[in-house]
Amino acid sequence: MTVQERLRHLRRLIQTSQHQYYIDDRSDLSDEEFDAAWEQLLEIERAHPELVTPDSPSQRIGGSPARQFAEVEHSHTLLSLTNVFSTEDLMTWRERLVPQLEPDLQESLGWVLEPKIDGLSVALEYRNGLFMRGATRGNGDVGEDVTANLRTVKQIPLHIPAVPSAGVPVPEVLTVRGEVYVRKEDFAAFNATLAAQEERVYANPRNFAAGSLRQLDPNESSRRPLRLWVFELLDSEGGPDLPTHEARLTFLAQLGFPVAHDAIHRFADGEFAALVEAADRFLDTKADLPYEVDGVVAKVDGIAAQRVLGQTGRDPRWARAYKRAGEQVVTRLLEIETFVGRTGVVTPRARLAPVPVGGVVVEHATLHNFDYVASLDLREGDQVVVMRAGDVIPRVVKALPEHRTGNECPWIPPERCPSCDAVLVQQEDQVAHRCPNPNCPKQLTRAIEHFVSRGALDIRSFGSKQAMLFVEEERFIRDVSDVYRLPWSEIGQLEGYKALRIKNLKDGLAAAKARPPARLLHALGIPFVGLQVAELICGAVPNLLELPHCSQDDLELIDGVGPEIARAVTDFLADPARRRELQALALSGLCMLGPEKTAATASEEAGLAGKTFVITGKLSGFTRSEATVRLKELGAKVTGSVSGKTDYVLAGKDAGSKLAKAQKIGVPILDELGFQELIGNLEGD
Ligand code: IVH
């Protein structure tokens, strides 16, 4: 066989196999056979660069779209980090560690301080210098194979040449761990492009990195400005013996991996106080970094000491992430706006000079109610302290009157609704001020926003923009049922509403008709009727059209429905206008039949039939009850405690003992992204 024939054969073999793997979800070649073919191809192409053709698989930047990501068992468990929130805790951590080490290890003890980069954790595997496979962290043991997408990240070396200056051979097997992230400026620019195309923007750089790496189409990933920092050498067979974390990072840099050297510092054990100071300084000035960090990591430098210290659960005893509990920043309060909610409550909201807090740029913060503004004596133009803890909505903590120039403007709470001018009312025992006008346009806009939102009917292509346009500007919508009676010919005249946009809207509306009635009931916006309550009600009332005929007593018979909820439902549906809305929605073809007649059989066939889930921690894109209902719609059971019968744990932020138990007994763990992916795949529209 000539070299050319050999090349042709290898390319065909690889292409066929990639197609099988990514498109057909099967493979005639084993991983080893595929790896061997790929290695041979690259070897021959390296020796004969003149024979490299543009269509060689080695030249592909993207690859074909995958239907889903294959699972990858990590060769090394990808550990996580225990957080500490104070310098005292950092000191105590060290004090407890030192006595666990033999005197010789104590003597050589050193520390490394490095940024905790906010992106998506990945493991990258190399064989004889070639990038073979990259996977997300997943639950630490099993992640997702995102090799095709990672290949498009320019900072990931696809090939590691021998480095004579390092004086060492390239390891036969090399596994490194790092964080795929996006720079702040690239993130802002990409979001601006999305916004210009009226697409949903990413909430923060972490979501962006995760979302971009998990694009099923690698060509889409390749358009995303993703970057990499590596922070751990997990394995290097046939490489040099490197006794410290610092030496390993230097080695990785020599091999061509990006290491955040400028932000990484080593401290001798005698300098631990300096490390603590540096950690604080780092957190104080992290806004100046070109990328987002969600803390700083302190690690024991010596690998021998790390081994002795070991781990508890998934967290190494030899490392800690140091974060600020609720991060506070100072910015200017530009204006106090009023926000009319779905139920008419008028809330003051601060418009701020944009400022990054805890990983996101904050431009608004809640001010709760009129009394809160008065109690803080907030004035427009004030310098204010803003706090954001975890996923919590940012809030203004206090004003800094010492910075006043005299140009600040005291705020006078409105007496009338900013939308419809109705005189606001305040019930005696409540702090809230409310617009009493049932036809208030702003209230209706909010009601429509809720109706179409993800937890409710999830009408794709219909968001706040459309709600405002159709309600307040064009007056096409006068009650929620008008969402299904839009005047399409008039909409066609509106700027930006070309055929495709209209088709997307119509498709979104049509798809939402089949949502289970509990989603519709929740979408109506009855106070206290979240998804879970709506499910309980629909479980007992098989046809939504019967609900207006149910008395408060009837409803109270339902397990989980108390007098307050029952009254809210009957009050709401006592209004003839609401009854007409429900009828109109039924006429438009929305599903009114409850689970006994439809979902019981559907859920048996649904994608998660028979699976048991436990939900723990804080979710950001869903409330827990929304997640519960979505899982139940797919046939799953959701229970409160983790046991051997649990199939999956959905773990949000700051998950505690349930997550720990799941890890201990080996229950697979889904993070929120994994969950979204799962339900996205199974719901299928
Ligand atoms: S060390 C020791 N170092 O933080 C093994 N993790 O909360 C544990 N992360 O999933 C990881 N920067 O994705 C380590 N310099 C850094 C890091 C870092 C970001 C992420 C990592 C991990 C998460 C743990």
Side-chain angles (χ1 to χ4, degrees), residues 20-328:
Q20 286 176 342
Y21 188 79
Y22 287 116
I23 307 291
D24 306 332
D25 219 14
R26 69 184 181 94
S27 179
D28 291 341
L29 294 189
S30 69
D31 285 357
E32 286 73 15
E33 286 165 335
F34 179 86
D35 290 352
W38 184 255
E39 253 173 75
Q40 281 178 31
L41 173 74
L42 294 182
E43 214 167 275
I44 300 176
E45 287 188 346
R46 262 200 307 277
H48 300 276
E50 74 283 0
L51 297 181
V52 177
T53 54
D55 64 348
S56 169
S58 64
Q59 303 302 300
R60 277 177 100 87
I61 48 144
S64 310
R67 274 191 321 191
Q68 60 183 48
F69 299 106
E71 286 195 340
V72 171
E73 201 159 326
H74 295 299
S75 49
H76 301 258
T77 300
L78 301 191
L79 299 176
S80 188
L81 288 170
T82 300
N83 296 327
V84 294
F85 293 99
S86 69
T87 47
E88 290 74 38
D89 287 349
L90 213 46
M91 305 275 216
T92 317
W93 168 61
R94 176 198 162 271
E95 277 157 27
R96 295 213 180 120
L97 283 192
V98 176
Q100 297 176 41
L101 298 169
E102 297 292 332
D104 61 324
L105 287 179
Q106 283 189 18
E107 218 147 276
S108 58
L109 184 58
W111 307 88
V112 173
L113 187 70
E114 55 190 43
K116 185 168 186 302
I117 303 122
D118 204 9
L120 193 73
S121 189
V122 293
L124 309 173
E125 285 177 32
Y126 291 78
R127 297 246 182 95
N128 299 319
L130 286 180
F131 175 51
M132 284 298 169
R133 196 167 72 174
T136 61
R137 175 170 182 270
N139 65 9
D141 290 320
V142 177
E144 284 175 326
D145 187 332
V146 286
T147 312
N149 291 346
L150 285 170
R151 277 191 200 291
T152 70
V153 178
K154 314 249 176 338
Q155 284 194 317
I156 295 184
L158 296 180
H159 168 229
I160 302 169
V163 191
S165 64
V168 285
V170 173
E172 283 151 36
V173 178
L174 177 75
T175 312
V176 305
R177 182 169 173 195
E179 197 86 354
V180 170
Y181 72 100
V182 59
R183 279 173 159 247
K184 289 175 189 169
E185 58 180 6
D186 292 339
F187 171 70
F190 199 91
N191 256 355
T193 317
L194 288 179
Q197 292 160 358
E198 299 207 356
E199 289 193 36
R200 238 177 243 181
V201 297
Y202 286 93
N204 55 49
R206 202 203 109 77
N207 287 0
F208 176 85
S212 301
L213 253 200
R214 304 183 74 203
Q215 292 289 325
L216 290 177
D217 180 357
N219 290 305
E220 185 52 42
S221 283
S222 74
R223 284 191 274 274
R224 307 294 178 100
L226 296 175
R227 305 171 78 95
L228 173 78
W229 286 128
V230 297
F231 55 76
E232 292 284 332
L233 173 63
L234 291 173
D235 194 4
S236 97
E237 271 175 42
D241 188 21
L242 299 165
T244 65
H245 177 61
E246 193 188 35
R248 290 174 165 207
L249 290 180
T250 306
F251 176 61
L252 288 173
Q254 283 170 333
L255 294 184
F257 288 97
V259 175
H261 270 310
D262 291 350
I264 298 179
H265 302 283
R266 185 186 190 278
F267 296 85
D269 189 41
E271 301 168 324
F272 197 80
L275 175 146
V276 171
E277 222 172 86
D280 259 336
R281 216 173 25 248
F282 179 85
L283 294 186
D284 289 341
T285 55
K286 71 185 185 122
D288 302 337
L289 288 170
Y291 49 87
E292 294 289 354
V293 294
D294 65 338
V296 57
V297 189
K299 296 177 179 172
V300 168
D301 191 28
I303 305 300
Q306 289 183 358
R307 291 217 177 96
V308 171
L309 295 167
Q311 62 195 67
T312 33
R314 297 287 165 127
D315 300 352
R317 287 200 189 84
W318 46 265
R320 284 293 180 267
Y322 170 41
K323 302 179 175 185
R324 295 268 157 81
E327 206 194 330
Q328 298 198 344

